Amino acid sequence: PAYRSFVSELCRRIAERSPKAVFLGGEPMWRYAPGLLFTISLAIAVLFLGVEAVRSANWGLLAIVAFIGGYVAWQMGLWIVKNRPAPFDPRAIRSDLLPPDNSR
């Protein structure tokens, strides 16, 4: 809670003293776009491998693809969702940009 308050107050004061400041959450677009494209490509490849494994009745390959592909897709999906580039208002910071409030 103390860190959340500190970050909120810091952003508010920066905006107050520098009205032209731009506040961006997430990754910059030049880094986010390749990650998104890689994730989409990875999902297509995993889907293709899964279909081929079922077609050839290769259940071992299907298990490996499901386990590794599922884990990587889960991790990359989290990164894509949490690092979406978007401006934010420093006076009302979105909760997904702040650390979780564990005081409850």
Side-chain angles (χ1 to χ4, degrees):
Y3 184 69
R4 286 174 66 95
S5 299
F6 167 74
V7 170
S8 298
E9 184 63 20
L10 177 65
C11 288
R12 187 189 65 75
R13 288 187 185 191
I14 290 172
E16 189 177 276
R17 288 173 177 71
S18 181
K20 292 183 181 180
V22 177
F23 293 83
L24 298 173
E27 294 285 343
M29 187 55 81
W30 66 267
R31 192 169 22 204
Y32 183 79
L36 179 61
L37 290 174
F38 176 77
T39 302
I40 292 169
S41 301
L42 179 66
I44 291 169
V46 166
L47 184 63
F48 175 77
L49 277 174
V51 168
E52 288 301 312
V54 168
R55 274 187 30 175
S56 63
N58 190 341
W59 308 121
L61 176 62
L62 182 61
I64 291 170
V65 166
F67 179 72
I68 294 175
Y71 178 76
V72 171
W74 171 53
Q75 290 298 311
M76 290 303 294
L78 287 175
W79 186 86
I80 293 296
V81 169
K82 289 184 176 190
N83 291 297
R84 179 179 41 91
F88 68 91
D89 181 5
R91 291 166 195 83
I93 301 175
R94 298 187 330 250
S95 63
D96 64 317
L97 295 176
L98 293 169
D101 184 3
N102 296 326
S103 64
R104 294 177 229 150

